[in-house]
Amino acid sequence: MLMLLLGVVAAIIGGAGVMSRHEPVDRPKGQYDIPLTLTGNGSYVQSVQIEPFIELKYKHIVRQAFDFSCGSAALVTILNYHLGVMVNEQQAMEGMLEKGEKDKIIERRGFSLLDMKRYVGSLGLSGAGFKAEIKDLMTLDEPAIVPIDYAGSKHFVVLRGIRDGVVYIADPSAGNIVFSVEEFSHWWDKNTLFIISPAKGQKPVGQLALNDRELGAVDMDRVTGKGRQDALSSTALQLMRAVNSGAAGTWMHRN
C-alpha cells in the first residue's frame, strides 16, 4: 500500500514537471530570456540582447586587410559609418592608387593624407588636413583620421571624440580602444588630423558618434578623478591596456 502511494505521488510530481516545461521557441539572434523573481514570490521573464565581445570590439570599424592598409581602412570607416558612403577597402585602395602618387605609394607601402584627399574628392566629398592641439580635439563634433606613432611604427586611426579625459579611438587593427588624454598626446604624430566633409545637402549617418550607452564600457578600474587615467610606465603595458579596453566582454541591454 505504501509503495503504491509513493508511486502515485511520484507520478503526480513527474506529471507536474512535464506540464510546466516550456517548449523552445525561435528568438532573434543574440536575444535571451532571463527568469527573474519578484518580491512576494512573483516571477517574470526579462528579454535581453547580448552582443558578443568581438562584435562590440569592432563595431562600426572596417578592419584592415593588410598590415600596410590602416590608412585605407580608417578612411573607409569614416566613409561608411559617418558619411554613409558605402565603399569597401579594396575600392578605396584602387581609387587612391589611381588618383594618388602611385610610385610613392608603392615605395612606402602605404597611403598618405594627400592620397586620401584626392580620392575623396573624386567621390564628390571634401577632405582637408589640419594642425591642431588637444583643446581643439575636445570641441571636435565629427570623427577625424589621425596618425599615431607607437611601438616604433606609424599608424592611422579614427578619433571618435574625447569625453571626461578619455580619448575614444576606432583602430582598424585593434578595434575600439581608449587612451587617456596624456597617453594620446604622446602617441599623436605631428598634431595632424584629416577631416572629411559630406557633399552639399548630404546628412551624415553619424554612427561613429559617442553615445552614453558605451561610455561605461571602458577600462574604468584605472580611471580616477574626473576621468584622469594614471600613467603606465611601460609602453607595452600601455598598448596592452588600450587594446583590451574600449569594450566590456559582453554588452547587455533591454529590448
Side-chain angles (χ1 to χ4, degrees):
M1 181 67 178
L2 180 59
M3 293 294 293
L4 179 61
L5 181 59
L6 289 175
V8 172
V9 172
I12 294 174
I13 294 174
V18 171
M19 293 297 291
S20 63
R21 185 175 60 192
H22 296 285
E23 293 298 324
V25 295
D26 292 333
R27 294 179 177 82
K29 180 182 177 181
Q31 180 177 315
Y32 298 87
D33 291 341
I34 300 179
L36 300 173
T37 302
L38 299 174
T39 303
N41 295 325
S43 64
Y44 76 104
V45 175
Q46 174 68 62
S47 293
V48 297
Q49 192 76 20
I50 299 178
E51 294 186 39
F53 169 76
I54 193 66
E55 292 183 11
L56 178 58
K57 188 70 175 174
Y58 290 94
K59 193 178 185 71
H60 298 150
I61 294 177
V62 175
R63 300 180 69 172
Q64 63 188 80
F66 308 97
D67 59 355
F68 57 84
S69 65
C70 57
S72 55
L75 177 63
V76 175
T77 292
I78 289 185
L79 291 177
N80 287 186
Y81 297 115
H82 175 59
L83 298 175
V85 177
M86 303 310 294
V87 298
N88 59 40
E89 187 184 16
Q90 184 65 35
Q91 291 171 324
M93 293 173 67
E94 292 173 355
M96 284 189 282
L97 281 169
E98 178 185 350
K99 304 297 181 181
E101 300 173 300
K102 186 174 182 178
D103 292 339
K104 291 185 178 180
I105 292 172
I106 295 173
E107 180 182 351
R108 64 175 174 258
R109 289 177 55 82
F111 301 101
S112 68
L113 295 180
L114 180 58
D115 299 324
M116 297 181 195
K117 177 180 174 65
R118 290 172 173 171
Y119 172 62
V120 299
S122 71
L123 299 177
L125 307 171
S126 175
F130 301 91
K131 286 281 189 178
E133 303 295 333
I134 287 292
K135 64 180 180 180
D136 301 315
L137 302 185
M138 291 181 176
T139 59
L140 196 64
D141 59 359
E142 57 188 324
I145 296 175
V146 294
I148 58 177
D149 185 352
Y150 59 39
S153 62
K154 306 287 186 180
H155 188 50
F156 283 117
V157 298
V158 176
L159 171 71
R160 298 180 58 202
I162 300 177
R163 190 180 294 189
D164 296 330
V166 179
V167 182
Y168 291 81
I169 296 292
D171 188 324
S173 175
N176 285 299
I177 63 176
V178 297
F179 290 114
S180 69
V181 168
E182 292 79 8
E183 289 167 345
F184 178 76
S185 298
H186 178 70
W187 304 125
W188 190 15
D189 187 30
K190 299 178 181 178
N191 286 43
T192 304
L193 71 155
F194 183 74
I195 296 176
I196 307 170
S197 301
K200 186 176 181 180
Q202 178 190 17
K203 184 178 180 180
V205 295
Q207 291 177 306
L208 292 174
L210 298 180
N211 64 77
D212 292 337
R213 190 172 64 179
E214 72 180 290
L215 294 183
V218 297
D219 189 10
M220 297 304 290
D221 59 337
R222 289 188 50 255
V223 177
T224 59
K226 297 183 179 179
R228 181 182 61 80
Q229 290 188 301
D230 297 332
L232 292 171
S233 57
S234 165
T235 297
L237 285 176
Q238 288 185 23
L239 295 179
M240 180 180 68
R241 199 272 299 150
V243 169
N244 289 327
S245 65
T250 56
W251 185 6
M252 184 172 70
H253 59 84
R254 294 183 179 182
N255 285 340

